[in-house]
Amino acid sequence: MRRGRGRVGSSGRGRAHPRFRTSVRWWIAGRTVHALLLMTLAALAALSVVIATAWTLTEHSPRSMAQRFSNGERLFDLSLAVLRASVGTDSLNPEPDSTAHQLLATVASVTGSLVPAVLLGIVLIKMFALRPFVWRQRASISHAWTADFPGYSRRHADSENAIIAVRFYNRFDNLSVVDLRARVHLRYLERSPHDGSLVIYKQWLKVLDAQGEPADERYWLAVERGAPFTVWIPVDAPVAELPFRRIQGKDLSGSYGVKLLVRLTARTVGLGTEVADERWFDLEAGDFELGRFVSLQPDLDKDVWRWEGWTDFDALEPHPNGENPGQT
């Protein structure tokens, strides 16, 4: 039996779906401090120009409008005065008998009282929105025997199966991260056998644990500052070209919008807070490359940032014939 469409409410407006809200806190957390400051200054500058223009339009003066706006220096000085009032360091002197000027001066004054609180809120949000991990730009796909586990590598010495490597490191110099867990899942869309509509599916993928055995998650007791970490994801199938069409027994030839999600969760020492980060890798958007990543050479006598290989963190090992396998 086919159901009818949702009825419109008594007010004549239906409650449409989907309904979304934008979280200002997380929008701020996703921007850099420099970007937030520039956007704030740009907004205040734009507001100052608008108020200065309205101030000039509504002032009591025998001069014509053309004469008022032809004095660029006066308009610029007025805009700067409004900007100072909008950040709370100055105030405007409205004409006593001008309601428009009184209103504009009030807007500038209220803005000046709110800006410090807004900037403080931005600083606090950025302070506690920790995203300590830097990800390698692409996930690399190489033969399974290239994995950094001797037992796993020996078992796949004669195999053409591939393995995916996702790399990251802790970028904070003074932040210790412990109890790090990495989990991976596959997200894809397929046609419903019922009506042909696209349905979203998610499938947990196995990763190699500390012993090089397939497991639900990879666990690290501690995350050294700056040291690279790798999540190894067995494909369990050969990958001769991209995009690959099979992973861990799942045939993707009839799937759409295939993405790989790597999610990290950990705790911080000292702050006692939990941190989480994730990275999506799009199968069709060039987020994968064929070849093994360039290895870093640890040297305990040097600072971690001076280890050999850091400048090539996003590169691939050269192919024996001199070609870059990632360009295949």
Side-chain angles (χ1 to χ4, degrees), residues 12 37 59 64 80 100 117 139 149 154 156 160 185 195 202 240 251-252 254 262 291 317:
L37 289 177
E59 67 180 353
S64 65
L80 292 179
F149 299 97
R154 285 193 298 269
H156 292 80
E160 293 297 321
H185 83 243
D195 56 7
K202 296 181 177 68
D251 185 2
L252 301 172
V262 180
E317 288 184 347

Side-chain angles (χ1 to χ4, degrees), residues 212-287:
E213 300 295 334
D216 290 334
E217 68 176 16
R218 177 69 162 95
Y219 173 79
W220 290 274
L221 180 64
V223 180
E224 290 80 2
R225 174 182 65 92
F229 288 79
T230 306
V231 180
W232 296 94
I233 309 163
V235 179
D236 292 338
V239 178
E241 61 182 4
L242 294 176
F244 58 86
R245 292 304 178 190
R246 180 175 292 274
I247 182 171
Q248 296 188 14
K250 171 59 185 175
D251 185 2
L252 301 172
S253 56
S255 303
Y256 305 88
V258 180
K259 290 187 177 182
L260 193 73
L261 171 65
V262 180
R263 177 172 294 143
L264 305 176
T265 56
R267 295 187 62 83
T268 59
V269 177
L271 295 177
T273 59
E274 292 187 355
V275 294
D277 202 355
E278 62 183 25
R279 178 69 182 269
W280 289 90
F281 296 90
D282 194 330
L283 186 62
E284 303 291 343
D287 291 340

Side-chain angles (χ1 to χ4, degrees), residues 186-205:
L186 187 71
R187 192 208 70 181
Y188 55 92
L189 286 75
E190 290 187 351
R191 296 289 181 185
S192 168
H194 170 63
D195 56 7
S197 61
L198 288 174
V199 181
I200 300 177
Y201 295 92
K202 296 181 177 68
Q203 174 182 328
W204 287 109
L205 297 180

Side-chain angles (χ1 to χ4, degrees), residues 5-227:
R5 296 181 181 270
R7 294 183 178 180
V8 178
S10 57
S11 62
R13 297 182 59 186
R15 299 188 65 186
H17 292 278
R19 294 191 291 268
F20 291 99
R21 288 187 61 187
T22 299
S23 172
V24 176
R25 180 178 183 272
W26 290 113
W27 185 87
I28 293 174
R31 269 67 183 175
T32 64
V33 174
H34 297 89
L36 291 171
L37 289 177
L38 287 175
M39 285 187 287
T40 302
L41 289 176
L44 290 174
L47 177 63
S48 300
V49 172
V50 171
I51 293 179
T53 302
W55 190 282
T56 304
L57 286 172
T58 56
E59 67 180 353
H60 295 142
S61 174
R63 297 179 303 163
S64 65
M65 289 295 174
Q67 291 174 332
R68 298 180 193 181
F69 286 99
S70 62
N71 191 343
E73 184 177 356
R74 179 181 180 278
L75 287 174
F76 182 71
D77 292 342
L78 179 58
S79 298
L80 292 179
V82 175
L83 181 59
R84 292 193 298 272
S86 298
V87 296
T89 61
D90 201 350
S91 60
L92 296 177
N93 296 317
E95 296 177 353
D97 56 346
S98 175
T99 303
H101 276 199
Q102 295 288 345
L103 179 60
L104 293 173
T106 301
V107 171
S109 179
V110 171
T111 303
S113 64
L114 293 178
V115 165
V118 172
L119 291 178
L120 179 60
I122 290 174
V123 171
L124 291 176
I125 290 175
K126 293 299 296 182
M127 183 182 297
F128 294 103
L130 292 176
R131 299 197 67 179
F133 303 110
V134 176
W135 299 80
R136 190 176 181 274
Q137 290 183 0
R138 296 179 180 179
S140 61
I141 304 178
S142 57
H143 286 98
W145 50 263
T146 64
D148 290 332
F149 299 97
Y152 184 87
S153 180
R154 285 193 298 269
R155 291 196 302 271
H156 292 80
D158 299 324
S159 172
E160 293 297 321
N161 286 349
I163 193 167
I164 299 173
V166 176
R167 308 200 84 198
F168 60 92
Y169 61 89
N170 173 19
R171 66 189 175 97
F172 284 117
D173 194 22
N174 58 345
L175 181 68
S176 297
V177 179
V178 297
D179 294 332
L180 176 65
R181 302 177 187 273
R183 302 195 72 177
V184 179
H185 83 243
L186 187 71
R187 192 208 70 181
Y188 55 92
L189 286 75
E190 290 187 351
R191 296 289 181 185
S192 168
H194 170 63
D195 56 7
S197 61
L198 288 174
V199 181
I200 300 177
Y201 295 92
K202 296 181 177 68
Q203 174 182 328
W204 287 109
L205 297 180
K206 296 291 184 179
V207 299
L208 296 187
D209 62 14
Q211 288 73 41
E213 300 295 334
D216 290 334
E217 68 176 16
R218 177 69 162 95
Y219 173 79
W220 290 274
L221 180 64
V223 180
E224 290 80 2
R225 174 182 65 92

